[in-house]
């Protein structure tokens, strides 16, 4: 407000007194110039100069009053959906200002005892009958230290560096997500929204923005909590390397202590099953994996017959039948409880030197004692039961041949090609295990798709990098080993991840390692922090800020007696105001804990600190906003009836299957 070392804004607006005096003197000079002994003509000039002085002083006094008013009240900031600004090269974050040393100084000034009278919020009374007490909580002074704010934008080029948004419960994370998602949809990006809880308001907003942008037919709803209207998705059916199938399933199993060995066994047997299915030209899914883990004999027999028909001698069928009819010896311990036909097939393959890596894996699994086999894969059994029980099984293990089921089946590469808008509701409150398994499988699939785009582009040939905006609400519920490469390696393929969570400790607890959590944090170039309640989380932002110098005013008073008997001076006194400079943090964790709802600090564009107020979405009278989920469900059902999706397998599947079959021998040694 001024160029002095201390602004001194927390004081009475004394400028208004001089304003009143200057106005009074101007009136006297203009209407009764004789009272000031002013001749005609000169009085008009004097009145003009006095009014100019009054204007300057009034402006200064009004600045003090406005500043103090900002400190004591929270202004509501709402924005109608139609008024949301969308710019091709920038992302709108709200209104705010760049935080500098000046604002740290002003905030420190509010901590003084004598300044507290200027920070009390106005109360409703006969003088202020329309005052509404603020309901956002927090310290209004955090934003009030700068009366002049402006729209805050983030360059889209920074989005591929990924964005982390932290904030405790009910302070505006999901509403901030709506703000960013709405712009991404209107901008024309491929938008993927992961919502573990299944927030109805977020779903309504995503659907409304898809309709507003003319992308209603590109909207895909996948919701584990509403399988009757959800699109379908094969969580393990798309991959670049066949070993990904086993990895996606095994990564959901515990790996601490003795569980690590069982996890490795489970990975091996799931990999054996997946290789055999792909070699037979069948797409892996959870239903088939569960079936063959429980009983691998049918798959062993089917693949062995297919292999022998292709590579075996012409009389192999007769030789196996003869071996099965032999009564020379009873089944050995490993074969006890197995079907005679499978035993005969295994013995035939053992006698004849016919090598095939897939068949070798199946035979090794078949030769295990059945009781022992059941024990070592018992860890994956409960998980597979959860994933293949009830209506959810039809969502994540879709049957491509059922024409009566009109719910579409999607894969991520096709989503990107068609520039779709996808909402993924995982219903984690009902079953966190299934939600985590499906979410991590989707992330692993997206990493695989990113690798495909790196090598071949979206349409099979190197082309313009797509813009894929991925929003992960409550991402601590989703994060796993699959999420890390999505952050570290997928940016070049056009993926721009925005992750939302409450505290960083949630992420550390989920990952189980502080070092890995630090690795994840290091991949977020932009950090936006709303109110948090954990100091360690707040320090993620404050530790990245520099220290600044602030000025403190100290009043000094003293009295000294005179020691000279003949002196006429009995004592001397002095009153001083001393300025001292100290170095303090630009922002402290305690101030992040005191943020009002809907406000945030953001580190943008290489560490610049901004203070934000995000707009509350004003959905009043929005004709495109669905009233509830039932309305969205009805719209999705009508879409399924009028637009029958194709039931054939995607053409890319056969190419992937062929490549996987050719590379299956190499995968054995990876």
């Amino acid at each position: 407000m001024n160029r002095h070392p201390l602004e001194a804004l927390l004081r009475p607006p004394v400028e208004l007194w001089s304003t009143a005096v200057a106005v009074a003197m101007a009136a006297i000079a203009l209407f009764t110039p004789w009272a000031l002994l002013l001749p005609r003509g000169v009085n008009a000039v004097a009145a003009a100069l006095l009014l100019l002085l009054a204007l300057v002083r009034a402006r200064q006094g009004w600045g003090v009053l406005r500043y103090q008013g900002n400190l004591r009240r929270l202004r509501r900031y709402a924005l109608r959906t139609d008024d949301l600004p969308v710019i091709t090269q920038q992302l709108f974050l709200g209104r705010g200002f760049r935080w500098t040393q000046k604002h740290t100084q002003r905030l420190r000034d509010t901590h003084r005892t004598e300044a507290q009278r200027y920070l009390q919020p106005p109360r409703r009374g006969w003088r202020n009958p329309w005052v509404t007490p603020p309901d956002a909580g927090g310290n209004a002074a955090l934003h009030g230290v700068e009366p002049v704010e402006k729209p805050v934008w983030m360059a889209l080029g920074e989005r591929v560096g990924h964005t982390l948004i932290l904030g405790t419960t009910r302070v505006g994370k999901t509403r901030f997500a709506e703000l960013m998602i709405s712009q991404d949809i209107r901008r024309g990006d491929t938008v993927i929204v992961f919502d573990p809880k299944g927030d109805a308001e977020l779903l309504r907003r995503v659907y409304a923005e898809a309709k507003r942008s003319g992308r209603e037919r590109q909207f895909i709803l996948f919701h584990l909590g509403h399988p009757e209207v959800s699109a379908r998705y094969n969580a393990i059916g798309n991959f670049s390397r066949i070993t990904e199938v086993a990895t996606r399933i095994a990564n959901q199993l515990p790996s601490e202590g003795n569980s690590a060995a069982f996890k490795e066994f489970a990975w091996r047997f799931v990999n054996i099953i997946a290789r055999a299915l792909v070699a037979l030209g069948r797409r892996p899914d959870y239903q088939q994996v569960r079936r063959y883990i429980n009983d691998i004999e049918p798959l062993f027999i089917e693949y062995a017959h297919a292999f022998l028909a292709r590579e075996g001698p012409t009389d192999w069928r007769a030789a196996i039948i003869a071996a099965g009819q032999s009564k020379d010896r009873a089944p050995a311990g490993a074969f006890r409880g197995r079907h005679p036909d499978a035993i005969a097939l295994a013995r035939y393959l053992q006698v004849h030197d016919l090598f095939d890596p897939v068949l070798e894996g199946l035979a090794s699994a078949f030769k295990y004692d059945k009781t022992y086999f059941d024990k070592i894969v018992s860890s994956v059994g409960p998980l597979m039961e959860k994933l293949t029980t009830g209506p959810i099984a039809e969502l994540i293990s879709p049957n491509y041949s059922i024409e009566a089921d009109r719910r579409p089946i999607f894969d991520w590469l096709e989503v990107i090609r068609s520039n779709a808008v996808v909402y993924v509701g995982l219903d984690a409150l009902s079953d966190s295990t299934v939600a985590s398994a499906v979410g991590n499988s989707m992330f692993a699939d997206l990493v695989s798709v990113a690798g495909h785009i790196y090598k071949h582009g979206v349409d099979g040939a190197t082309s313009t990098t797509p813009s894929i905006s991925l929003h992960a609400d409550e991402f601590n519920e989703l994060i796993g080993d699959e999420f890390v490469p999505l952050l570290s390696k997928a940016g070049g393929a056009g993926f721009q991840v925005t992750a939302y969570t409450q505290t960083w400790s949630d992420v550390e607890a989920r990952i189980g390692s502080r070092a890995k959590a630090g690795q994840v944090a290091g991949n977020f170039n932009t950090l936006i922090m709303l109110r948090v309640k954990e100091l360690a989380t707040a320090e993620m932002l404050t530790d990245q800020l520099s220290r600044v110098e602030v000025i403190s005013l100290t009043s000094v008073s003293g009295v000294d007696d005179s020691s000279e008997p003949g002196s006429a001076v009995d004592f001397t006194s002095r009153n001083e105001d001393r300025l001292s400079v100290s170095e303090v943090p630009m922002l402290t964790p305690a101030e992040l804990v005191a943020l009002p709802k809907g406000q945030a600090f953001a580190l943008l564009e290489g560490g610049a600190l901004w203070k934000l107020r995000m707009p509350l979405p004003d959905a009043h009278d929005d004709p495109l906003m669905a009233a509830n989920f039932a309305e969205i469900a009805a719209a999705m059902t009508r879409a399924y009836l009028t637009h029958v999706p194709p039931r054939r397998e995607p053409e890319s599947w056969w190419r992937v299957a062929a490549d996987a079959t050719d590379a299956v021998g190499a995968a054995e040694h990876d």
Side-chain angles (χ1 to χ4, degrees):
M1 293 258 180
N2 56 51
R3 299 178 181 178
H4 300 289
L6 282 179
E7 293 179 304
L9 297 174
L10 298 178
R11 55 171 175 78
V14 295
E15 294 87 349
L16 298 182
W17 291 107
S18 57
T19 299
V21 172
V23 170
M25 293 300 296
I28 294 174
L30 188 62
F31 298 109
T32 57
W34 52 267
L36 299 177
L37 303 178
L38 294 175
R40 292 287 180 180
V42 176
N43 69 321
V45 175
L49 292 174
L50 286 168
L51 288 175
L52 179 61
L53 173 62
L55 180 63
V56 172
R57 297 297 286 172
R59 184 172 181 272
Q60 293 173 344
W62 171 248
V64 173
L65 287 176
R66 185 176 65 159
Y67 176 77
Q68 295 174 2
N70 279 336
L71 293 179
R72 63 165 61 100
R73 75 176 185 270
L74 292 169
R75 292 174 291 173
R76 177 177 172 79
Y77 178 30
L79 191 64
R80 287 188 55 82
T81 306
D82 294 337
D83 298 332
L84 180 65
V86 179
I87 297 181
T88 305
Q89 298 301 324
Q90 290 184 308
L91 180 72
F92 177 67
L93 299 179
R95 297 185 62 83
F97 55 90
R98 174 80 179 270
W99 188 280
T100 63
Q101 180 274 339
K102 175 179 68 175
H103 303 102
T104 302
Q105 175 72 64
R106 291 177 177 177
L107 189 60
R108 295 282 170 173
D109 291 343
T110 64
H111 296 165
R112 301 201 316 266
T113 303
E114 59 271 22
Q116 298 309 303
R117 56 177 293 198
Y118 302 105
L119 304 177
Q120 299 302 317
R123 297 181 179 180
R124 185 189 298 269
W126 66 272
R127 293 183 178 178
N128 297 297
W130 297 283
V131 170
T132 301
D135 59 355
N139 182 8
L142 285 168
H143 201 83
V145 293
E146 178 54 75
V148 181
E149 58 181 8
K150 63 180 181 179
V152 180
W153 302 87
M154 184 175 80
L156 287 185
E158 297 292 319
R159 292 287 299 281
V160 293
H162 310 309
T163 304
L164 175 63
I165 299 176
L166 293 160
T168 190
T169 307
R170 313 306 300 173
V171 296
K173 285 195 312 298
T174 304
R175 303 291 80 81
F176 197 31
E178 291 181 15
L179 174 69
M180 302 183 73
I181 292 168
S182 297
Q183 294 178 76
D184 291 339
I185 293 175
R186 297 189 196 184
R187 196 180 297 109
D189 293 355
T190 298
V191 179
I192 305 170
V193 180
F194 283 90
D195 184 6
K197 297 180 300 185
D199 187 295
E201 288 297 318
L202 181 58
L203 171 58
R204 291 169 61 214
R205 172 57 57 195
V206 174
Y207 183 65
E209 292 304 324
K211 292 174 64 177
R212 181 172 283 104
S213 304
R215 303 174 65 183
E216 184 177 359
R217 293 193 178 186
Q218 297 170 281
F219 178 76
I220 297 174
L221 171 63
F222 179 86
H223 204 303
L224 294 178
H226 299 278
E228 67 280 358
V229 295
S230 173
R232 295 175 291 166
Y233 167 75
N234 189 343
I236 58 174
N238 297 285
F239 45 84
S240 296
R241 298 180 63 186
I242 196 170
T243 52
E244 294 176 24
V245 176
T247 300
R248 295 179 194 178
I249 293 177
N251 277 351
Q252 313 309 318
L253 303 176
S255 57
E256 296 81 11
N258 295 332
S259 299
F262 288 97
K263 179 178 178 179
E264 294 300 321
F265 276 118
W267 185 95
R268 180 173 182 267
F269 288 114
V270 172
N271 189 51
I272 289 171
I273 293 169
R275 292 169 58 198
L277 290 172
V278 172
L280 289 170
R282 290 156 59 184
R283 183 190 292 269
D285 58 47
Y286 287 127
Q287 293 274 24
Q288 295 182 88
V289 171
R290 181 191 61 82
R291 175 191 173 191
Y292 294 126
I293 277 183
N294 292 333
D295 184 9
I296 204 169
E297 285 182 11
L299 184 61
F300 169 63
I301 294 172
E302 180 183 359
Y303 184 82
H305 284 182
F307 170 74
L308 290 172
R310 185 177 68 251
E311 303 289 344
T314 56
D315 61 342
W316 64 272
R317 293 184 183 274
I320 292 175
I321 292 173
Q325 294 174 346
S326 174
K327 306 295 183 182
D328 292 343
R329 53 178 176 167
F335 289 158
R336 187 171 290 111
R338 300 292 189 181
H339 193 278
D341 292 345
I343 296 173
L345 185 58
R347 286 176 174 169
Y348 176 84
L349 293 171
Q350 190 172 4
V351 171
H352 294 75
D353 188 18
L354 298 172
F355 175 75
D356 179 78
V358 177
L359 187 57
E360 182 185 41
L362 287 168
S364 66
F366 176 77
K367 290 175 183 178
Y368 275 107
D369 180 85
K370 194 172 187 306
T371 304
Y372 176 69
F373 180 83
D374 292 341
K375 288 180 180 179
I376 61 178
V377 298
S378 60
S379 58
V380 76
L383 173 65
M384 301 308 297
E385 286 292 331
K386 288 185 177 182
L387 295 173
T388 57
T389 300
I392 290 178
E394 300 174 2
L395 294 185
I396 57 180
S397 299
N399 190 330
Y400 291 80
S401 63
I402 300 178
E403 293 286 345
D405 193 343
R406 297 177 180 269
R407 293 173 298 176
I409 303 172
F410 70 94
D411 64 80
W412 292 121
L413 189 57
E414 189 59 33
V415 163
I416 297 170
R417 285 172 177 164
S418 61
N419 202 33
V421 177
V422 184
Y423 175 89
V424 179
L426 296 175
D427 198 27
L429 295 177
S430 299
D431 194 329
S432 60
T433 302
V434 173
S436 177
V438 175
N440 283 326
S441 294
M442 286 183 168
F443 286 136
D445 198 355
L446 285 167
V447 172
S448 180
V449 169
H452 174 85
I453 295 174
Y454 265 125
K455 293 181 289 187
H456 309 293
V458 176
D459 298 316
T462 303
S463 58
T464 304
T465 303
S467 182
I468 307 162
S469 298
L470 191 154
H471 297 263
D473 194 12
E474 302 291 346
F475 92 109
N476 57 289
E477 298 285 343
L478 304 169
I479 192 168
D481 292 337
E482 297 83 0
F483 197 85
V484 177
L486 190 64
L487 294 173
S488 59
K489 300 180 177 64
F495 283 83
Q496 44 196 33
V497 178
T498 306
Y500 311 78
T501 189
Q502 295 181 13
T503 70
W504 195 247
S505 293
D506 293 334
V507 178
E508 292 184 2
R510 180 72 177 185
I511 296 178
S513 168
R514 175 167 292 187
K516 285 187 177 180
Q519 179 186 7
V520 173
N523 284 292
F524 288 105
N525 288 346
T526 300
L527 176 61
I528 300 175
M529 190 170 293
L530 292 86
R531 183 199 299 173
V532 294
K533 299 302 293 183
E534 185 186 55
L535 293 181
T537 301
E539 288 170 353
M540 289 183 63
L541 185 146
T542 58
D543 286 351
Q544 299 183 55
L545 303 177
S546 60
R547 297 175 68 86
V548 295
E549 292 183 344
V550 296
I551 299 174
S552 300
L553 178 65
T554 305
S555 297
V556 180
S557 298
V559 178
D560 293 328
D561 293 334
S562 175
S563 58
E564 298 181 11
S567 174
V569 178
D570 296 325
F571 66 91
T572 59
S573 65
R574 67 180 184 278
N575 293 286
E576 301 176 359
D577 287 334
R578 295 180 181 177
L579 298 180
S580 59
V581 178
S582 59
E583 192 176 78
V584 299
M586 182 176 285
L587 204 63
T588 66
E591 288 153 357
L592 288 170
V593 173
L595 272 172
K597 296 178 182 177
Q599 296 189 16
F601 282 97
L603 282 177
L604 306 177
E605 299 176 357
L609 181 64
W610 287 80
K611 177 65 181 60
L612 305 175
R613 278 197 310 144
M614 66 179 186
L616 298 174
D618 186 359
H620 181 64
D621 294 332
D622 186 348
L624 300 180
M625 196 73 170
N628 48 43
F629 180 82
E631 185 177 326
I632 297 177
M636 299 305 296
T637 302
R638 289 193 299 270
Y640 300 157
L641 292 174
T642 55
H643 306 288
V644 180
R647 290 292 157 225
R648 61 180 177 83
E649 298 255 310
E651 293 180 1
S652 60
W653 158 246
W654 299 110
R655 176 180 54 77
V656 172
D659 294 345
T661 304
D662 294 339
V664 74
E668 173 71 13
H669 302 289
D670 288 338

